[in-house]
Amino acid sequence: MMMNFPIISLEKLNGVERKDTMEKIKDACENWGFFELVNHGIPHDLMDTLERLTKEHYRKCMEHRFKEVISSKGLDVVQTEVKDMDWESTFHVRHLPESNISEIPDLSDEYRKVMKEFSLRLEKLAEELLDLLCENLGLEKGYLKKAFYGSRGPTFGTKVANYPQCPNPELVKGLRAHTDAGGIILLFQDDKVSGLQLLKDGQWVDVPPMRHSIVVNLGDQLEVITNGKYKSVEHRVIAQTNGTRMSIASFYNPGSDAVIYPAPELLEKQTEEKHNVYPKFVFEEYMKIYAALKFHAKEPRFEALKESNVNLGPIAIV
Ligand code: OGA
Ligand code: NI
């Protein structure tokens, strides 16, 4: 059955539509791995300012560099499909456990300040969402936050991306298909230029651009903790011929030493054969494997971390 991409109005959690809204979130988590939030409480003028500063920064500091890299690799004149790179221009900022924004070059004071304010809002929103997931899963409030905590709290960071206008979108992806490694991902995407797609029932479905919305998706760690009740879903970015797409993706992930494993409450409710599908591991071990296998299927990543395979070394995971 084809259904419309789930759009959730968060303010409805405060009124008579709370139950319906929780149900919609549950359905989105179980069947899409993605949903789009409106009325999420993040001020629209803050988003507008961040968008303006991000686009200015791209034009001033990133665009020239991107074009140089593309032409030095001959990617502007390719005739066959390029499978080992993405048509994207990015930089990364870490917010937690400690911010590195003062070390990122070429950002104006205003851009740093606005990015910081936005990230604080998103951090709160991510934690609010984790508690809504707990409620839907029948886990105690705070369970997921605690599961991500490790010894120093969660890792939270932002990938600022622009997917430049591309002459040959059929030959090179903006970003190749993958699932996200971490916990919960919040995306502020361009409201005009589209390109993000998710894989649903074997079909690529567009994530519709919508002004001032926040797109949410679930990463591999939530699949493990929920013992597969929620799944991380494959997605990709198609570069566009009609303009550059901005995307500001923020990743709320476990701390590097957090130990990740299926919640015992969810294991108990499941049948025998669903036990032992997911391993128990330290998050940074997962990230080492992910770094090498990001654009591959996720199942071998889970397999590689099962206790019996841990000492087999890299041969076991390719
Ligand atoms: C990612 C990702 C999507 C986008 O960085 O993992 O999926 O639209 N980004 O930038
Ligand atoms: Ni992703």
Side-chain angles (χ1 to χ4, degrees):
M1 184 178 66
M2 187 61 205
M3 288 209 321
N4 289 328
F5 186 86
I7 301 190
I8 314 262
S9 175
L10 260 200
E11 72 180 0
K12 295 201 167 156
L13 285 174
N14 302 319
V16 291
E17 290 178 69
R18 185 170 207 284
K19 197 159 171 278
D20 275 2
T21 304
M22 289 304 289
E23 202 54 46
K24 264 178 125 171
I25 295 172
K26 186 175 179 184
D27 181 76
C29 289
E30 287 178 358
N31 298 309
W32 291 80
F34 267 83
F35 51 93
E36 197 154 353
L37 292 179
V38 295
N39 302 315
H40 41 59
I42 297 180
H44 290 179
D45 61 347
L46 177 63
M47 297 178 79
D48 290 340
T49 308
L50 182 62
E51 176 171 355
R52 176 176 58 79
L53 293 168
T54 299
K55 289 182 173 176
E56 277 173 18
H57 174 263
Y58 172 70
R59 281 193 294 269
K60 219 164 82 196
C61 305
M62 306 292 285
E63 188 172 20
H64 179 68
R65 212 174 306 159
F66 178 79
K67 287 184 173 158
E68 266 180 9
V69 171
I70 291 303
S71 69
S72 74
K73 290 185 177 167
L75 287 164
D76 42 353
V77 291
V78 288
Q79 314 253 327
T80 53
E81 192 176 353
V82 179
K83 292 184 172 156
D84 58 353
M85 73 153 278
D86 305 300
W87 190 268
E88 64 171 5
S89 161
T90 66
F91 68 95
H92 293 83
V93 184
R94 191 182 63 237
H95 313 297
L96 294 175
E98 66 277 310
S99 170
N100 71 350
I101 196 159
S102 64
E103 298 155 30
I104 312 289
D106 302 331
L107 307 185
S108 68
D109 289 346
E110 186 191 14
Y111 194 19
R112 279 180 226 272
K113 184 173 137 274
V114 168
M115 179 70 80
K116 220 170 205 168
E117 192 178 334
F118 183 69
S119 72
L120 281 172
R121 300 272 188 168
L122 276 190
E123 182 191 328
K124 295 285 165 291
L125 181 57
E127 292 179 350
E128 188 185 334
L129 288 169
L130 287 181
D131 270 338
L132 297 175
L133 267 54
C134 285
E135 190 176 330
N136 274 337
L137 287 161
L139 296 170
E140 68 179 301
K141 195 171 170 182
Y143 182 93
L144 290 170
K145 187 176 171 182
K146 241 185 260 165
F148 284 14
Y149 204 83
S151 65
R152 301 203 303 154
T155 312
F156 186 51
T158 296
K159 169 184 164 186
V160 179
N162 280 275
Y163 297 93
Q165 184 163 330
C166 178
N168 299 107
E170 63 292 346
L171 298 182
V172 58
K173 294 278 175 300
L175 180 58
R176 289 162 286 166
H178 64 283
T179 65
D180 291 339
I184 191 162
I185 299 89
L186 291 83
L187 175 71
F188 171 20
Q189 65 164 346
D190 205 282
D191 67 331
K192 293 188 187 68
V193 183
S194 65
L196 179 60
Q197 299 182 326
L198 64 91
L199 192 61
K200 177 161 170 55
D201 306 326
Q203 307 259 12
W204 289 104
V205 177
D206 288 325
V207 177
M210 192 187 300
R211 191 157 153 80
H212 297 139
S213 73
I214 298 282
V215 176
V216 178
N217 73 290
L218 310 181
D220 296 345
Q221 304 314 303
L222 284 178
E223 177 166 338
V224 174
I225 295 172
T226 66
N227 201 40
K229 205 163 171 6
Y230 296 167
K231 297 226 164 34
S232 62
V233 163
E234 252 187 83
H235 52 283
R236 68 181 186 184
V237 177
I238 302 295
Q240 303 294 311
T241 53
N242 67 340
T244 295
R245 171 174 177 268
M246 177 198 80
S247 118
I248 301 173
S250 297
F251 299 80
Y252 188 102
N253 289 353
S256 55
D257 65 356
V259 179
I260 303 298
Y261 54 94
E265 288 89 337
L266 300 181
L267 273 180
E268 276 161 27
K269 287 184 194 157
Q270 297 197 335
T271 53
E272 261 324 288
E273 76 262 26
K274 284 200 179 157
H275 280 245
N276 298 321
V277 173
Y278 296 100
K280 177 176 185 173
F281 52 84
V282 176
F283 181 60
E284 68 182 353
E285 297 300 320
Y286 192 86
M287 290 311 282
K288 283 183 201 158
I289 293 174
Y290 185 80
L293 298 178
K294 170 169 177 176
F295 297 109
H296 296 253
K298 62 191 163 185
E299 291 78 9
R301 304 200 284 262
F302 297 141
E303 276 314 306
L305 285 161
K306 287 189 180 166
E307 219 134 5
S308 57
N309 292 335
V310 163
N311 297 321
L312 295 180
I315 290 163
I317 60 177
V318 289

